[in-house]
Amino acid sequence: MPSWVTALGQGRSSGPRMASNACCCCPAAVQRRLPILAWLPSYSLQWLKMDFIAGLSVGLTAIPQALAYAEVAGLPPQYGLYSAFMGCFVYFFLGTSRDVTLGPTAIMSLLVSFYTFHEPAYAVLLAFLSGCIQLAMGVLHLGFLLDFISCPVINGFTSAATVTIGFGQIKNLLGLQNIPRQFFLQVYHTFLRIPETRVGDAILGLVCMLLLLVLKLMRDHVPPIHPEMPLGVRLSHGLVWSATTARNALVVSFAALVAYSFEVTGYQPFILTGETAEGLPPVRTPPFSVTTANGTISFTEMVQDMGAGLAVVPLVGLLESIAVAKAFASQNNYRIDANQELLAIGLTNVLGSFVFSYPVTGSHPCCCAPAGVLVLLSLDYLTSLFYYIPKSALAAVIIMAVAPLFDTKIFRTLWRVKRLDLLPLCVTFLLCFWEVQYGILAGALVSLLMLLHSAARPETKVSEGPVLVLQPASGLSFPAMEALREEILSRALEVSPPRCLVLECTHVCSIDYTVVLGLGELLQDFQKQGVALAFVGLQVPVLRVLLSADLKGFQSFSTLEEAEKHLRQEPGAQPYNVREDAIPDPKVTLLKA
């Protein structure tokens, strides 16, 4: 772990939240928009050496992954590198997570391939428009909208994307060509053409996967470095950590060296990456039209062609980035600012579109600036060497990168915790193989219907005794009023003889006009039957509303015992008999407490 994380964590999470009426130009507000100003003053130069080494290791990981993700996106390999450096610099200044940065990812690359038809111009324009949408959401503080996408939906989409991406690389791992990209056709044609497997590609791909797995296991078991360790031990541990962190670069370099050795002999058993455009990308405005052999495609037509991608890509980008950042923040005891993350991602995509980047999101572990510099250097000096990288090696990198995203434990956990949550997960998972937007939309809709059902049909706890006691287990809102009315009528008034009832409202923190009307009708029904309906445990705001409504026969008691005594006509229990203006202000009560 880079040593500057301590200063970063202190600077980003220790200060109090800015008051809502604070000046937008005051130091606290500027620090909130530029988090680097919070942690940089406490950064120690003693950490620079380790951060530089970590940055090189991360950069060596990012370069082969970027080349591989461009393949997933259906774009030339250089577009993966174009997308890998801008986020490193922007997030260095604007990001609130100390453990991630922004760059191309497998899931985002998959979405780009769905919505841009493997056309670079569409991919770059999608990055620009996605960035604008994300920036607008950040400025308007709409980060809370992401809370309406439930974890089962996210897990369902992620698992489906993992299967799609992983299986999509089987063709490269086996050296198969001309395989359709549509998932179901891809599965069919891959199995149909297994006899055409190129032995060289298959062996090299499997060897690369094995090497990546071994290096990952070594990385996971490297013991932490302590200052009291001998210098030689610390150096050896640091070397192992750097080598295993940069395992993608080591394995891809090994595969390229093997391929080059065969090239020298005049025999090439592998399918190679081929030519990669040399040099840094030119700085240009995003393409707002495309000229083809059949004429010019206007900006409006391009937007129509991308369709739902303009909503899915920004949304999934935010979900993926914030989910990853929150996971690291939870593990390392700090907090992130979702709206600030929106601004960082949006600005990265907007600026990235000027250097031919496709949409990016939360990516590899963060050592931003050194990794970004290394990617730029590779574009300027190493692109000729990328020619010899076998596609089977890049396929191994992708498969090993996405495999951990498939969470097999989530199914068992949901079965044990709440089986109904398996429904949105499975709906999302299955429909995402058809169309991503339909899977996410259907999963979110199922989650919303489950939420509305729980609000409309809340559970109630019933206690039988001399007096019937009914307690809503959650809040009480207008969709739930009819169900509550039917249950009260069936248990208290539609029996012989009719029974008095106590409505225990401890969990009811607010009510609306529909609920007030329904309670008024219930009070009238009870009076007609010659029995009483009493209320217990009303919170101050709810009591204020009910008194304001001037409901006939309304009785409220502070405790259940008093209500039961009153309903049994015992002395010593009196209902509240107060005016509305005599109810204490809840804000004042809290301040006094």
Side-chain angles (χ1 to χ4, degrees):
M1 180 69 66
S3 49
W4 58 277
V5 297
T6 303
L8 181 57
Q10 291 172 348
R12 289 181 179 174
S13 60
S14 58
R17 296 186 68 86
M18 186 177 58
S20 58
N21 61 346
C23 172
C24 62
C25 296
C26 68
V30 174
Q31 227 177 57
R32 190 178 179 188
R33 292 304 176 207
L34 285 173
I36 187 175
L37 299 178
W39 61 263
L40 188 59
S42 56
Y43 182 84
S44 172
L45 291 178
Q46 297 176 352
W47 303 334
L48 188 60
K49 180 180 177 181
M50 287 301 297
D51 287 343
F52 181 74
I53 295 174
L56 290 180
S57 301
V58 171
L60 290 173
T61 297
I63 291 171
Q65 274 192 345
L67 295 171
Y69 291 153
E71 164 68 23
V72 176
L75 300 173
Q78 65 268 21
Y79 281 86
L81 296 173
Y82 295 163
S83 307
F85 66 85
M86 183 61 73
C88 295
F89 299 113
V90 174
Y91 203 79
F92 182 75
F93 292 95
L94 299 181
T96 62
S97 172
R98 62 174 105 148
D99 297 295
V100 299
T101 187
L102 302 177
T105 65
I107 290 177
M108 187 54 62
S109 301
L110 177 67
L111 293 179
V112 169
S113 73
F114 282 160
Y115 295 113
T116 62
F117 322 107
H118 313 149
E119 289 288 340
Y122 277 86
V124 174
L125 180 60
L126 182 59
F128 176 78
L129 296 177
S130 297
C132 291
I133 293 171
Q134 291 162 338
L135 274 176
M137 291 181 68
V139 171
L140 297 176
H141 292 249
L142 297 179
F144 72 92
L145 293 176
L146 302 179
D147 298 335
F148 289 93
I149 307 295
S150 66
C151 286
V153 174
I154 296 173
N155 276 279
F157 162 72
T158 304
S159 299
T162 300
V163 174
T164 303
I165 295 167
F167 197 89
Q169 293 307 307
I170 297 296
K171 64 180 185 295
N172 290 329
L173 196 71
L174 301 180
L176 303 177
Q177 295 180 302
N178 301 319
I179 300 292
R181 285 185 173 266
Q182 204 281 333
F183 178 74
F184 296 108
L185 292 177
Q186 192 176 85
V187 172
Y188 173 75
H189 283 276
T190 298
F191 282 109
L192 184 68
R193 298 173 60 182
I194 282 182
E196 302 175 19
T197 298
R198 295 169 60 101
V199 177
D201 284 300
I203 293 176
L204 182 63
L206 292 175
V207 169
C208 289
M209 288 180 64
L210 181 60
L211 290 174
L212 288 169
L213 178 60
V214 170
L215 290 172
K216 182 180 185 300
L217 293 176
M218 289 177 61
R219 171 70 174 83
D220 295 339
H221 290 85
V222 173
I225 300 176
H226 300 291
E228 61 271 13
M229 286 181 174
L231 179 61
V233 175
R234 281 186 288 163
L235 288 176
S236 63
H237 283 195
L239 182 60
V240 172
W241 181 88
S242 298
T244 53
T245 300
R247 57 187 177 273
N248 289 342
L250 292 178
V251 171
V252 168
S253 299
F254 159 76
L257 185 61
V258 172
Y260 180 75
S261 301
F262 277 101
E263 187 80 11
V264 171
T265 65
Y267 171 69
Q268 186 55 263
F270 312 120
I271 299 176
L272 304 181
T273 298
E275 296 289 343
T276 301
E278 296 185 10
L280 300 176
V283 179
R284 295 178 184 169
T285 57
F288 294 104
S289 62
V290 178
T291 302
T292 65
N294 298 324
T296 300
I297 303 176
S298 67
F299 172 73
T300 303
E301 292 172 325
M302 293 178 72
V303 170
Q304 291 174 347
D305 290 340
M306 288 185 285
L310 293 174
V312 174
V313 170
L315 177 63
V316 172
L318 297 175
L319 284 173
E320 185 178 2
S321 183
I322 293 178
V324 171
K326 282 185 175 180
F328 278 108
S330 176
Q331 292 175 9
N332 298 313
N333 196 29
Y334 64 92
R335 299 183 64 184
I336 66 165
D337 184 339
N339 289 307
Q340 181 65 21
E341 291 293 300
L342 288 171
L343 295 175
I345 300 170
L347 187 60
T348 296
N349 279 321
V350 169
L351 294 180
S353 67
F354 286 83
V355 289
F356 294 85
S357 166
Y358 65 80
V360 300
T361 183
S363 184
H364 45 74
C366 165
C367 277
C368 302
V373 171
L374 193 59
V375 172
L376 289 174
L377 290 175
S378 71
L379 274 168
D380 218 12
Y381 298 106
L382 301 179
T383 48
S384 60
L385 302 179
F386 297 155
Y387 177 93
Y388 296 101
I389 298 177
K391 286 192 174 183
S392 59
L394 293 180
V397 169
I398 295 173
I399 292 172
M400 295 304 294
V402 301
L405 297 178
F406 191 89
D407 186 4
T408 55
K409 296 179 181 178
I410 188 66
F411 296 93
R412 185 168 62 252
T413 301
L414 290 180
W415 181 265
R416 187 175 64 252
V417 175
K418 188 177 181 181
R419 296 177 183 179
L420 190 59
D421 280 341
L422 284 169
L423 181 59
L425 185 147
C426 293
V427 168
T428 305
F429 178 77
L430 295 174
L431 288 183
C432 277
F433 291 116
W434 176 31
E435 289 285 350
V436 173
Q437 66 268 26
Y438 297 150
I440 296 175
L441 183 62
L445 182 60
V446 170
S447 294
L448 180 61
L449 291 175
M450 291 168 54
L451 180 64
L452 292 176
H453 183 269
S454 64
R457 298 294 182 269
E459 294 183 4
T460 53
K461 179 181 177 182
V462 180
S463 300
E464 296 283 353
V467 176
L468 186 64
V469 180
L470 192 146
Q471 180 185 33
S474 59
L476 191 57
S477 55
F478 70 90
M481 190 58 225
E482 187 60 31
L484 179 66
R485 174 183 172 84
E486 290 178 1
E487 183 162 8
I488 290 176
L489 291 177
S490 65
R491 290 183 178 273
L493 299 185
E494 295 177 357
V495 297
S496 181
R499 303 178 62 185
C500 296
L501 182 136
V502 174
L503 192 59
E504 218 285 352
C505 300
T506 304
H507 299 300
V508 179
C509 58
S510 65
I511 57 175
D512 52 48
Y513 180 66
T514 304
V515 174
V516 172
L517 287 180
L519 293 177
E521 293 173 358
L522 280 174
L523 286 170
Q524 292 177 10
D525 293 338
F526 271 81
Q527 287 178 338
K528 292 177 181 178
Q529 296 285 347
V531 289
L533 170 63
F535 296 81
V536 169
L538 289 172
Q539 299 184 27
V540 171
V542 178
L543 180 59
R544 185 187 297 276
V545 171
L546 291 175
L547 289 175
S548 300
D550 195 22
L551 300 177
K552 186 177 180 181
F554 172 69
Q555 302 177 89
S556 178
F557 297 86
S558 58
T559 66
L560 182 59
E561 291 76 13
E562 290 182 357
E564 290 179 340
K565 286 182 181 179
H566 177 77
L567 295 179
R568 292 199 302 265
Q569 302 299 319
E570 295 182 11
Q574 296 295 327
Y576 287 149
N577 184 19
V578 295
R579 304 184 314 275
E580 178 193 351
D581 56 5
I583 301 175
D585 189 330
K587 295 181 181 178
V588 176
T589 303
L590 289 174
L591 288 174
K592 288 181 179 180

